[in-house]
Amino acid sequence: MSALLTSPVATRVTGSRARRFLALAVLMLPVLLISVDNTVLSFALPSISRALNPDATTQLWIVDAYPLVLAGLLVVMGSIGDRIGRRRILVIGATGFALFSVAAGFATDAWMLVAARIAMGVFGAMLMPATLSIIRNVFVDAGERRMALAVWSTMFAAGNALGPLVGGTLLAHFHWGSVFLIAVPILVLMLVGVPFCVPESRDPMPGPVDVPSMFLSLGALAPTAWAIKSVVHPEERGFAVAMLAVGVVCGIAFVRRQLRSRTPMLDLRLFRSTAFTGSVLMNLMAMFSLTGFLFFIAQHLQLVAGLDPFTSGVVLIPGSVLTIVAGLAVVPVVARVAPRWVVSVSLLFSAAAYALVAVLGHHASIAALAFAFVLLGIGIGASETVTNDLIISTAPADKAGAASAMSETAYEIGAVLGTAVLGTILATTYRAHVVVPGGLSSTAHTAAQETLGGAVSAASSLGGPTGQALLESARAAFDSGVTITAGVAAVLMVIAAAGAVVMLKRR
């Protein structure tokens, strides 16, 4: 991805302005799909929990397996695309993603779903770098390219925000697997349009594909995420520590390898710039706040407030719409106000959303939660657009490819950490407070102890006063966890806002 702006193929075939923007429209289909997939699953979790009975750790893996693999493979897939052709890898990725989306939609147990999500991550990693690389080659005019990148950023943020609405609408009429099957018609439409609208391009002098670095990056991310999820179980803490050690060792080895390589897979020297580092971190924190918030609000609306999936999605429509509006509206603002202040205030909107949930606690009404998501959406939309632009603009021009890969990687790592960290805090608090009565099978007892969805299913099978007591205990325990989790997240977002002021001071 190091020669994104120099491909002779692209400059010959960019064609008319209308054709360039038609190509952009086609490329937005996978962008929208990948970003929707980051958050749509949150609304399907209650249904999946009832159908497949995963424990708390497996439930987190169902959410995180996809973005974790995606984050680990983004850069290497970008490198492969530079070699074999970016349009070609886009087609391969879309085909594989569609096939494994079908597998996920018809999964019969929790770990089969996790395996399908892993495969979706592999093929999804082929899509994102290809879209950005093609955009940078098709739009050789700087003004048009800025507009195209703004559309890309806005569509990505919009997809993340629209995920709950899409999930709620589908779950109101179809089986939970529909949240995965929706990928098929979108990708078929893309596969039809790509040969006619999107030109092929490749790096004329690509570097080697660094397979060891690919495995080291996965070795750093996966065990660390596993450790975060497993540390809450006393019987697994020794294993969690071992996994964390593996992650640290692989991370150190990865960094050393990149710094010594003449053609690094991920050019870590870019992090010498404080502004670049700050932009990546703020980008990550925005995604962290979004996925963490959706992880618990989707369950609260359906399993505590008792709303159906569609109504739950409707509750979040105002926030979803304002995410898109803020992403576009911030462009003229940042031309007049220093980016560090725009990003900082945006992150404070996210902090306010979490603080509102933490303060209201058990008494949070549906309207209050909807308003909290509005605050969060404004913050996410504005901060993602600005930090994306900063990541590219603070990097040297010849490092645009590496910088864009880091932007995408920050998205996905933020998605992983949002559910891993905040989801783990929530699960720990829930287990500490829920009271599970006798009369349940060992499987049902464990499910009720692990997740709210498991408790709802167990209460339904028990029935009567005992089942009602379990349901009330589980809902109270879950909301206690939400209060603590939201408080922690609010503090983290305030720290991130302060970090933006300091780290983005110099561009």
Side-chain angles (χ1 to χ4, degrees):
M1 297 176 70
S2 59
L4 292 174
L5 304 176
T6 60
S7 171
V9 177
T11 55
R12 290 198 303 267
V13 297
T14 51
S16 67
R17 176 183 172 88
R19 183 167 182 176
R20 289 194 294 274
F21 279 93
L22 182 60
L24 177 64
V26 172
L27 292 173
M28 289 306 99
L29 292 173
V31 171
L32 188 63
L33 176 64
I34 294 295
S35 56
V36 164
D37 205 73
N38 273 335
T39 55
V40 70
L41 193 59
S42 296
F43 260 53
L45 270 182
S47 299
I48 292 172
S49 182
R50 288 191 292 265
L52 304 182
N53 292 319
D55 59 30
T57 301
T58 306
Q59 181 172 281
L60 291 175
W61 275 114
I62 289 172
V63 178
D64 282 348
Y66 165 79
L68 183 65
V69 174
L70 197 66
L73 293 180
L74 277 170
V75 180
V76 73
M77 289 304 179
S79 178
I80 292 173
D82 288 346
R83 283 174 159 272
I84 70 173
R86 293 150 188 155
R87 187 176 71 178
R88 178 178 297 176
I89 201 169
L90 188 67
V91 170
I92 295 171
T95 304
F97 195 93
L99 291 174
F100 282 100
S101 293
V102 173
F106 291 102
T108 55
D109 64 64
W111 283 107
M112 179 180 174
L113 180 55
V114 171
R117 293 275 288 167
I118 290 172
M120 288 169 65
V122 173
F123 288 98
M126 300 179 187
L127 298 175
M128 296 305 291
T131 59
L132 269 179
S133 299
I134 292 171
I135 285 171
R136 283 182 171 80
N137 279 274
V138 169
F139 292 91
V140 294
D141 176 75
E144 286 189 356
R145 187 166 61 246
R146 279 194 297 270
M147 175 60 70
L149 290 174
V151 171
W152 187 96
S153 298
T154 301
M155 289 297 289
F156 200 96
N160 286 319
L162 291 173
L165 178 60
V166 173
T169 303
L170 291 173
L171 292 168
H173 301 94
F174 306 105
H175 176 259
W176 59 262
S178 60
V179 301
F180 300 108
L181 299 178
I182 189 63
V184 178
I186 295 174
L187 290 175
V188 168
L189 180 62
M190 190 209 83
L191 289 171
V192 171
V194 162
F196 299 101
C197 304
V198 179
E200 181 62 284
S201 66
R202 55 177 56 86
D203 188 342
M205 295 181 293
V209 176
D210 192 348
V211 176
S213 290
M214 178 184 72
F215 284 107
L216 285 173
S217 66
L218 285 173
L221 290 171
T224 302
W226 192 297
I228 293 171
K229 300 172 195 297
S230 301
V231 74
V232 298
H233 298 283
E235 68 277 9
E236 296 182 13
R237 281 178 186 159
F239 182 72
V241 172
M243 286 293 97
L244 181 60
V246 170
V248 170
V249 170
C250 288
I252 293 172
F254 176 81
V255 171
R256 290 173 63 88
R257 183 175 180 85
Q258 301 314 296
L259 293 176
R260 291 176 177 178
S261 174
R262 292 184 178 179
T263 56
M265 187 179 88
L266 197 64
D267 193 349
L268 299 178
R269 295 173 183 85
L270 289 171
F271 287 101
R272 291 173 180 170
S273 165
T274 304
F276 179 86
T277 303
S279 300
V280 171
L281 287 176
M282 300 313 124
N283 189 286
L284 182 153
M285 288 304 296
M287 194 63 190
F288 174 97
S289 67
L290 176 63
T291 55
F293 193 90
L294 289 174
F295 181 78
F296 65 71
I297 196 173
Q299 296 183 72
H300 175 92
L301 291 175
Q302 295 179 62
L303 299 179
V304 177
L307 301 183
D308 61 73
F310 176 75
T311 306
S312 299
V314 170
V315 169
L316 302 185
I317 285 179
S320 301
V321 171
L322 284 172
T323 301
I324 301 170
V325 172
L328 296 172
V330 77
V331 175
V333 173
V334 82
R336 296 175 175 83
V337 182
R340 63 174 177 144
W341 294 113
V342 176
V343 174
S344 179
V345 171
S346 299
L347 293 173
L348 287 177
F349 268 89
S350 298
Y354 276 111
L356 180 62
V357 174
V359 170
L360 293 179
H362 297 279
H363 305 292
S365 65
I366 294 174
L369 292 174
F371 179 67
F373 191 63
V374 164
L375 294 176
L376 187 82
I378 293 172
I380 298 300
S383 61
E384 287 288 8
T385 296
V386 178
T387 54
N388 246 341
D389 179 65
L390 286 175
I391 288 171
I392 302 301
S393 64
T394 55
D398 61 345
K399 300 295 184 182
S404 64
M406 291 181 193
S407 173
E408 297 154 22
T409 303
Y411 271 125
E412 302 307 331
I413 293 178
V416 170
L417 292 178
T419 51
V421 175
L422 300 183
T424 298
I425 295 172
L426 177 57
T428 303
T429 308
Y430 171 82
R431 274 192 293 266
H433 290 86
V434 68
V435 177
V436 182
L440 291 170
S441 66
S442 59
T443 301
H445 188 281
T446 300
Q449 185 72 44
E450 288 283 329
T451 67
L452 177 58
V456 171
S457 297
S460 177
S461 65
L462 275 175
T466 305
Q468 186 61 31
L470 170 58
L471 188 59
E472 291 176 0
S473 173
R475 287 173 170 172
F478 183 84
D479 276 350
S480 294
V482 168
T483 300
I484 294 172
T485 303
V488 171
V491 172
L492 290 175
M493 298 313 296
V494 170
I495 294 172
V501 174
V502 174
M503 300 186 75
L504 304 182
K505 187 174 182 179
R506 296 181 62 189
R507 291 187 56 185

